[in-house]
Amino acid sequence: YKLGLDLTGCVFTDCTRGYWFRASRTVLDRVSNCVFASNDYGIYDGVIVQEGKGHKRPVVHSTFVSNRTWAVYYSATHHPGGVSHYNNAYTGDKGLYVHAFDPITLDHCLFDCNENTRWGQKDNTYRKKDSTNTCFSAFADVTLDGLMPGRPNAGSALLHAGGTLVPAFPADLAVDVEGRPRNLNPGHIDIGAYRAPLKGLIIFVR
């Protein structure tokens, strides 16, 4: 069993699995302010049975764009503490696959995929424990290529559509993946890893 990992401010592109959750007992794996672009899987959890005192694996303020199989794939058959996703954007072919997690929380997440979610063998008993607060499908409109995949464009539905994070998340999420301050007015923060681009932003490429 590995130690818990706090993964923040990372960009994963063209990987088989951008981030692969492995077995973990009583520790927390958290992903925040990360971008997963053009991978086979953005996040892959292949653990069969989770042990310990209930796990939370939050994924917060992250952007998934053009991943080839699933943006997030949870194949575990049991997970006592469930997983939580806050203020994330999922674009491309397939979004979130959940086999039979117990439970899952989706809060202010935007899906713009050909297939947004698939619940595998998750029956109604488990589904009643889910929380899907303002989880919606809309036109994400993000950049697909270049140095910063997943950045929202001017007309993106990601802008000013996020929610205030629960107090359990630390203040480091006051900045985006590039270290720029977010707009933290309640109900007006952008969904995803990037704050909306400034007008007239110039990027110099060597």
Side-chain angles (χ1 to χ4, degrees), residues 14-111:
D14 202 27
C15 302
T16 302
R17 296 178 176 93
Y19 182 52
W20 188 2
F21 283 130
R22 301 300 295 271
S24 183
R25 279 187 180 271
T26 59
V27 292
L28 173 75
D29 286 44
R30 188 186 72 166
V31 175
S32 62
N33 279 342
C34 289
V35 180
F36 299 84
S38 302
N39 306 291
D40 288 344
Y41 295 89
I43 291 178
Y44 183 94
D45 189 331
V47 179
I48 301 302
V49 178
Q50 293 293 336
E51 303 177 21
K53 299 179 180 179
H55 305 279
K56 292 283 187 181
R57 282 182 164 171
V59 180
V60 181
H61 273 308
S62 293
T63 299
F64 301 83
V65 55
S66 297
N67 293 288
R68 290 180 286 270
T69 307
W70 287 93
V72 182
Y73 185 88
Y74 292 122
S75 66
T77 56
H78 182 57
H79 195 303
V83 290
S84 301
H85 287 226
Y86 299 90
N87 291 341
N88 299 322
Y90 311 83
T91 75
D93 186 30
K94 296 180 179 179
L96 174 66
Y97 177 92
V98 180
H99 183 69
F101 269 65
D102 176 23
I104 188 165
T105 298
L106 299 175
D107 195 329
H108 287 82
C109 291
L110 185 146
F111 290 87

Side-chain angles (χ1 to χ4, degrees), residues 6-12 31-35 62 173 176-178:
D6 188 351
L7 189 70
T8 187
C10 298
V11 178
F12 298 87
V31 175
S32 62
N33 279 342
C34 289
V35 180
S62 293
L173 295 183
D176 72 356
V177 65
E178 297 177 314

